[in-house]
Amino acid sequence: MKITTFAIKIWRWLSILFVVGALVWTYSLFPEMVAVDFAKTGLAERYVDKEHIFYIIMGLFLLNNVVISAFARHIPNVDPMHLPILNRKAWAKSRPELNEHLVNWIYCLVAVINTIMGFSLFALATINSTQYKLDVFDFSWVYYAGIGLIVVVFLLPLRLLWPPVPEDRL
């Protein structure tokens, strides 16, 4: 197993625990009505029941970790000539490397979505908390971190633009 495969699998499992922990912790802290939309002044404009937030996050969590992860299990069954990659013939000859790269990409996507959901839940809980006096603008870093993680996910498939490196040249 390559180090990248190991790191992405660990990140995926830790992100699952992160979202579940964040959801349980924030649900216990949320008031009955949670502020979810804010004006330019930082004041809350729209409120949602905390049960609705729980069900929305659980739906996204299940969609992400069940449906998207199911694609990773079906990668080995797809004919490489039907995949939208360059150098299909070269990658078809090195199928295990192609499978590993595509599965890593899908698992990385799942981990990124989980990580963004977890950080968003913690930010939302802190903003709605009466214990901390932070406003919505103190959590602008969550937006930029999410954009950065999404850019990383979409840079991973760039490796498929070049043909695979033979084992004897490594």
Side-chain angles (χ1 to χ4, degrees), residues 125-141:
T126 306
I127 292 167
N128 283 284
S129 173
T130 57
Q131 190 176 23
Y132 303 105
K133 296 300 176 204
L134 297 173
D135 63 358
V136 70
F137 302 112
D138 293 331
F139 292 99
S140 61
W141 64 270

Side-chain angles (χ1 to χ4, degrees), residues 22-155:
L23 186 60
V24 169
W25 186 71
T26 57
Y27 186 79
S28 69
L29 293 180
F30 281 149
E32 286 302 315
M33 296 299 286
V34 179
V36 294
D37 190 23
F38 300 89
K40 292 182 181 182
T41 60
L43 296 174
E45 288 185 332
R46 187 168 296 140
Y47 293 87
V48 176
D49 286 334
K50 74 178 187 177
E51 289 86 13
H52 291 145
I53 291 176
F54 177 80
Y55 291 126
I56 289 169
I57 294 296
M58 281 307 297
L60 290 172
F61 178 79
L62 290 174
L63 177 74
N64 184 36
N65 291 289
V66 175
V67 176
I68 295 177
S69 294
F71 286 118
R73 289 190 295 273
H74 294 292
I75 291 290
N77 300 333
V78 177
D79 183 17
M81 294 311 206
H82 296 282
L83 292 173
I85 58 174
L86 298 176
N87 304 319
R88 288 184 190 131
K89 291 182 183 180
W91 280 106
K93 293 176 186 171
S94 141
R95 186 61 197 233
E97 186 179 349
L98 175 64
N99 290 346
E100 182 178 21
H101 193 70
L102 292 174
V103 168
N104 283 347
W105 181 71
I106 290 173
Y107 284 161
C108 189
L109 177 67
V110 168
V112 163
I113 294 170
N114 284 339
T115 304
I116 292 170
M117 279 195 308
F119 282 137
S120 299
L121 278 170
F122 280 132
L124 193 61
T126 306
I127 292 167
N128 283 284
S129 173
T130 57
Q131 190 176 23
Y132 303 105
K133 296 300 176 204
L134 297 173
D135 63 358
V136 70
F137 302 112
D138 293 331
F139 292 99
S140 61
W141 64 270
V142 173
Y143 172 75
Y144 296 114
I147 295 294
L149 288 171
I150 290 170
V151 166
V152 167
V153 165
F154 287 105
L155 288 179

